[in-house]
Amino acid sequence: MTNGIDYIHLETHNWGKTVKFWQAMGFELELDLGTSGRVVHPDGGASIFIEEVGPDRAPEMRLHLDASEKGTPASPVEVSKDWHPSHWGTELLETKDVDGRVVMVQWKGEEGQ
């Protein structure tokens, strides 16, 4: 069903400080959109997409898995939102693990595979 972790979506109350933290951990800023963007490690692995959110909500963290096929996972996976388009041109399936944490599955389509 998946090819592993594509990226981690990390919300924060302070974009600048969070980027500096990850840079101190060896990551490099690859995409800077002002209050969101992506850091990557020069040795590879999953990237981290960081997004600043307002003080009125608690920052969340979600794993985004790379889908090897567009299907529905079996139990005990709970599908909380069926496949739907993202604003960046992929499709997403929102699931929850057994403890209620959100795990997104991202389908890039046939051309993205």
Side-chain angles (χ1 to χ4, degrees), residues 1-2 64-73 77 79-86 89-95 103-109 113:
M1 161 109 224
T2 70
H64 281 249
L65 305 179
D66 181 33
S68 59
E69 60 187 57
K70 188 177 168 187
T72 302
V77 176
V79 174
S80 51
K81 187 173 182 182
D82 207 355
W83 290 103
H84 58 282
S86 70
T90 64
E91 290 190 55
L92 299 171
L93 177 72
E94 184 176 301
T95 68
V103 178
M104 303 298 289
V105 181
Q106 179 171 256
W107 171 250
K108 297 176 185 170
Q113 297 299 311

Side-chain angles (χ1 to χ4, degrees), residues 15-76:
W15 156 254
K17 285 184 179 179
T18 301
V19 169
K20 286 180 178 156
F21 169 86
W22 287 103
Q23 287 173 322
M25 298 296 273
F27 285 74
E28 299 170 351
L29 182 59
E30 179 184 70
L31 175 66
D32 184 345
L33 301 172
T35 57
S36 66
R38 181 176 48 247
V39 295
V40 297
H41 198 279
D43 291 338
S47 63
I48 303 171
F49 187 85
I50 303 165
E51 178 182 12
E52 188 172 302
V53 296
D56 57 325
R57 57 182 271 220
E60 296 180 5
M61 181 176 73
R62 291 180 295 282
L63 293 177
H64 281 249
L65 305 179
D66 181 33
S68 59
E69 60 187 57
K70 188 177 168 187
T72 302
S75 181

